[in-house]
Amino acid sequence: DKKDKKDKKDDKDDDDDDLDSFKSKKDVELLWSGVGKDEYSFQLAWFGPYMTRTVGNAKDPKERVNFKPDKWQRDLLDIVDDDRSALIVAPTASGKTFIGYYVMDKVLRTDDEGVAVYVAPSKALVNQVSAEIYARFSSKTYPMHSKNELLGVFVKEFNTAGGVAEAGKWKNCQVLVTEPGVLEMLLLSPTHQDWVKRLRYVVFDEVHCIGAADGLLWEHTIQLVPCPFLALSATVADPEHFHGWLKRVNEKKWPSPKTDKEQVEMIIHTERWNDLYKYVYRNGELRPFHPFISIMETSVKKHGLASDLTLTPQEMAQLFHELSKIVGTDKRLEPLAPETFFSARCGFVKKMDARSYEKDLKAVFMEMVRDGTLTGYKFEKLKFGLQSLESSKAKFQPPSRAVADKEADEEDGLVDDISNMGKSMGYMQPSALYKVCKDLDKIQALPAIVFNFNRKDLAKMLSNLTKELKDRQYEKYYGDEDKQFRSKKIMEKRWTDYEARKIQYEQALKANASKNQEAKASRKNADEGDRGAVKDEAVAVSEDVGEVPPEPIDLADEIDLEFSFHNPKALGQYSAEIKESIDELKGKKVASALIDGLRRGIGMHHEGCNLLYKQTVEVLFRRGYLKVVFATATLALGINMPCRATIFCGDSLELNGLMFRQMAGRAGRRGFDLLGQVVFLDMAFLKIRSLVASDCPPLTGEFMLSPSTLLRALHEWEIVTLEQDQGNELDREKSEIVRCVAPVFSIPFFRSKQASLETQVAYHTRFSIDLLFKERLLNQNGYTRGLANFASHLFDIEPANFILARLLGKGLLHKYLEREQKRMIKGQRRTHLTVKLTSILAWFLCRKRLPNIVPKDRVPRKKYLPSADSPALPALPPAIAEEVVAYNESVFEHVQELAWTVASTEKIGKDPRQGDMEMPLSGKTFRSGWDPRGEPFDKEKSEFAPKLIKQITRYRSRSPFTAITGDGDEFTCPADLVSSARNLLHLDMNTFPTVAVPMLEAPAGSFEPSNSWMVDFMIHGKMKYLWDDNGIDPTKAYSLIDKFKEAIKKASTALGYFAPDDDIVRKTFKLLHDEIDKLMKVKDGLA
C-alpha cells in the first residue's frame, strides 16, 4: 500500500545519505550573515575584546599570591624575594601594583622592626593606598608592651600612625605611606637616622614624576635610599636610559663587594590587558577615531610612527581594508589579507596573533610611505577613508535591499571630516552634556571620568548636568496639563497613604503609652502592698512602634532612575552606607549642588575640593554608585578608580602626551572590563592629533644644583660626627651615610649631549661651599654657624631661606616692622603689619612675574579694592633692597667663577661633540686659526703682530660666536651668562638662587617687576578678584595661596626655635599665617 511504499522510499533516502557530508539537495536562499566571506576579518572587526590573552599566566609554584601571575609578574616576585631593586614599566591596568603589597607583606612577616615605605605622587593616592593597606594587613598583631603600629601616613600637612595624629608616632609604624618630599626630608634628617636604619624596601609608584615640576625630590629620594627599591610606571618613554641611571646610582652607593642591593633589574611589559577604543563625539554621535587619522606624512617619513601607537584588532582590519582599496594590487599586501595571514593558525585569533599581524601591517605601511607608494593624495585619501567606516552604533545589520539606500549609506560615512574639527565649548551646554552621558550609558560605557583642568568648568558642568536632570524630570511629571493631572493623582494617593500610616503610628504610640501607665500603676501598688507578689508582673511595656512615617516626596524631587546616573544595584547593596556618607556632608561646608550631584550619581574631584567630600567621591565611585565624575589630573596618577570610559574636554597646556596616556589609562581596568573607551568631546583636531600621534616625551630630570641640599647634608654629617666624638653609638655607619649621599652630588638625572654634567656638579658643590661660607652659614671647618639651621629648615623655599637669614641676621626685618608698627592704623587694612610683611615676602616667596597683559574689562567696584600699585608689587624698603642687591651680586659672582672654572677643564674646540665651534642650525663653523694663506706677519721681524695679538680679548667660558664682539669672560648679568656660555656648561636661570633678577640686561640694583597678587589678597581677601586685578588663574589661586601659607607656617616654626615669644618678627609671622588660614576658610574667599 501507499504507506509501505513511503517507508521503502525513506529507507532508500537514508541509505543514500552520507553522514559525514552536509550537502544540500537543492539550492536554498541563504539568510544574511554578519560574518561574510572572510571570517578572520570578522573576528578582527568584532571579537577584539574577547580574544584570548596568552601572557604566560600560570599558578605560582611557590604559592606566593592568590592568583595566577603572568611570567613577568613571577619574575617580579623573584626579584623581591632576592632583595633586589627593579624598574617596572607596564601599561596602566596591567597588574603591576600588586608587587607593592607583596613587598609590605614580606616585611611584615619577617619581623616587627623592618619598615616598608610606599611613595605616592598625590594625597589622593596616599589616602587610597592607606585604606587598602589597612584592609589587607590589619590582622597583624603586636605584643602588648610593643609600641609598634601597622600603618603610618606622613604628608606635609599631617602625620599619623594607627590613625592617631601624635608627633613622632609615625616612627613606630612598619608601613609608611608618604610623598617624595617628606621621605627626602627624613633621609637627610640627622635626628631620624635610627628610623632610616630600619628601612627594608621602598616602593616608588608613578616614578615618571621624576620628570615633572617637583622631580628633584624624586631624584634625591632615589639617590638617598639605603635599601632595595621598586620603581613603578606606565609611561617611561626610554626605560633603558632611566634604568642606566638607576644602575649608576646603586653602583655609586655599593661599589664593592658585589651585592644583591647593587643590582637593578628592568621588567618591561608592553601589552595592555584591555585595548582602548578611541572616539570623537561629533554632531551628537560617537564616531570611532582611528589613530592613523592623526598622523602626518612628513613626520612619518622622517621619524616613523610613535613607539606606543597601538591599534585595536578592529583598527587593524580597517587599515588593511583601506590600504587595499587605495593601493590596489600589491604583493606586499597579499600575505596580510586576514584570511591568508591567520589561515595557518587555529580557528580563533588570539591577542598575540593580532599583535604579530599589527607589527607586519605597520612595517608594510611604513615601507609604502617611504618608497612613495602611499604619498600625497593617496595618504590623505587613506586618512579620510578611515573616517568613513561604519560608526560605533552599526552592529550586525543586514545590507540595504535598495541600491539607492546603499548609496545613501555610503554617503552618510563621508558627511563630516574630523580633521576640520575646531575647539568648542559645547560641553558646557547642559543638554549636550546630558546627551553625551546618556549615549555612553546606552552602550554600557559608564562609569566615566570627565577630565578637564579648569576647576570652574568642572563645577559648572556638574551643576549644569544635575540641573538638566532635575528639569527633565520635572518636565516628565509636570510638563503639560495631562502630566500635571496624573502626577496630582499620584501625589494625592501618596498623601492618603501617608495619613493612614501616620494615624496608625500615633495609635501605636498611644497604646504603648497606656500600657506603660498601667505598668507604672502596678509598680506603685506593689510598693504599697506585697512587693514579692506582683513585682514580676509590674514591668514596663515598650513595643517597637517603628520610625515616624516620612512625608511623601514630590515626584519632581525624588530620584527617578531615568534622570539619574547612579547605579541602582550598588545603591541596593550599600544603601545605608551611601545614605550615611552623603548625609554626613551636610553642615561640612559642602555646596548643596555637590550633594545633589552625589544623589544622582555625579561627583567632582580636584585638589580644591573639601577633603571629606573628595574622600566620599572616591569611596562611592569605587563601590560603583557614581557613574560620572568630573576631575582634574588628581585622578590621573595611580589612584584605583576603575571606569569604562575617560572623556577629554577643554584644553590646557598641562594636557600633553604623557598626561594623556596617564588619564586615558584609567579606562578599562583589568578584572573589571574587556575594553576601555576614550572619548574626545569638543576638542580641536590639532590637539587630538598631538595627544594620540606624538611620542611619549623622553624622561629627564631637572638640573637644579641647590646649595640648600648641600647645607642639609653637611648638617647631617656634623651631627653624626658630634655623636661619634661624644662616644655615642651611631644609628648608621658614617661610611653608609657618605655612600648614600654621594650620588646626589655626582650623578644627576639629566641628559645633555654637550654639557659635561658630572664635572659641573663636582665644581658646583665646591663653589656652593664658598657661597655658604660667604653667607656666614658655614665656618672654615665646614661646620654650620649662625642661622644655618634656620636656612636648612626652609630648604624647600630657596632662595627665600638665604634672604631671610640675611635680613634676620642683620636685624633689618625687625627694624622695618618696628617702624611700621608705629604707623599702623587699626581701621586701615593696608597699614597692618601682616600686610607690610607680605609686601616684603612676596618678592621671594611664590613670586609671580608681572603679567604682560592684565584683563582690561575690569568691573568697577567700591569695596574689596587691591593695593595702590596693583598689579605691581610695592618697592622694597631701601635698606632691605640694598641687602637683596648685595646678595644677588654675590650669587652672580659665584656662578661666574663656577662657569670659568668648569670651562677651564677643557679647551675650546677640543671635543667636536660639544659644538662650541659650530652653529646649531646652519652648521657653519668658527675658524680656530689663521686662514689657508697662513700667518700674515713675520713673527721675528714684525712689530705690529705682537701688539695686535696682545690686545685680543681672551676667553674661556664664553662661546666663540659671542666673543667676536670683544666680550671676554666678564658677563653683564645672569641672562648674558646663560645665553652666551659655552656648550660645555649647562646653565639656566634656575642655576642662580637669586631674587627677582631681570631676565634682560637692566640698570644695576634693579629688580624684575613682580605681581602684587598676595598683597592684594591680604587686603581684600577675595580669590575671585585675583583674576581681575592680577591675572592669576582662578583654578590655581587656591593652591598658590596655600603654598604661601605653608611656607609662612614653616618659617614661623623655625623662628620659634631661637626667637623669644615677644619677638616682633615671630609674632607677625604667626599672625600672618593665622590670617591667611582664616581668609581661605571664608566662603566668599573660595569663590
Side-chain angles (χ1 to χ4, degrees), residues 846-1031:
C846 303
R847 187 181 73 89
K848 306 290 288 184
R849 294 189 179 94
L850 191 66
N852 295 325
I853 301 175
V854 177
K856 296 180 180 179
D857 300 330
R858 298 191 187 185
V859 178
R861 57 184 191 267
K862 295 181 179 180
K863 58 180 183 177
Y864 305 125
L865 299 177
S867 58
D869 299 326
S870 179
L873 197 58
L876 286 170
I880 294 179
E882 183 179 344
E883 196 63 33
V884 174
V885 169
Y887 167 80
N888 285 342
E889 290 175 350
S890 174
V891 172
F892 180 48
E893 180 184 353
H894 152 76
V895 180
Q896 280 196 96
E897 292 176 358
L898 167 67
W900 190 87
T901 307
V902 174
S904 299
T905 62
E906 193 161 326
K907 188 177 180 181
I908 296 177
K910 182 179 179 181
D911 188 350
R913 292 175 299 175
Q914 292 175 359
D916 284 326
M917 310 297 289
E918 183 177 328
M919 297 291 282
L921 294 179
S922 65
K924 292 184 178 181
T925 57
F926 189 88
R927 183 174 295 163
S928 58
W930 303 108
D931 65 20
R933 292 173 295 179
E935 297 185 19
F937 309 108
D938 188 333
K939 291 183 179 179
E940 298 179 357
K941 299 180 180 180
S942 175
E943 297 181 3
F944 176 71
K947 294 180 180 179
L948 174 65
I949 295 174
K950 186 177 180 181
Q951 62 86 36
I952 294 177
T953 304
R954 306 290 177 177
Y955 59 91
R956 292 185 182 181
S957 55
R958 188 178 286 274
S959 167
F961 290 98
T962 61
I964 58 177
T965 60
D967 295 326
D969 287 332
E970 292 294 328
F971 297 89
T972 58
C973 63
D976 180 29
L977 177 54
V978 169
S979 61
S980 305
R982 287 174 55 191
N983 292 331
L984 175 69
L985 295 157
H986 177 81
L987 296 173
D988 56 36
M989 294 303 291
N990 292 326
T991 308
F992 303 80
T994 52
V995 173
V997 172
M999 296 296 291
L1000 303 175
E1001 190 172 348
S1006 60
F1007 297 103
E1008 183 181 41
S1010 301
N1011 199 320
S1012 64
W1013 69 275
M1014 192 61 206
V1015 178
D1016 295 342
F1017 177 73
M1018 285 301 298
I1019 292 173
H1020 56 59
K1022 303 294 179 182
M1023 291 187 195
K1024 60 184 178 182
Y1025 294 133
L1026 292 180
W1027 170 251
D1028 296 336
D1029 300 332
N1030 309 91

Side-chain angles (χ1 to χ4, degrees), residues 285 349 480-481 490 499 515 551 665 677 684 803 872 888 962 1030 1033 1046 1063:
E285 67 172 359
V349 179
D480 54 40
E481 292 183 359
I490 295 173
E499 293 295 340
K515 290 178 181 180
E551 290 188 1
Q677 285 102 346
I803 290 291
N888 285 342
T962 61
N1030 309 91
D1033 187 344
E1046 289 303 316
D1063 182 83

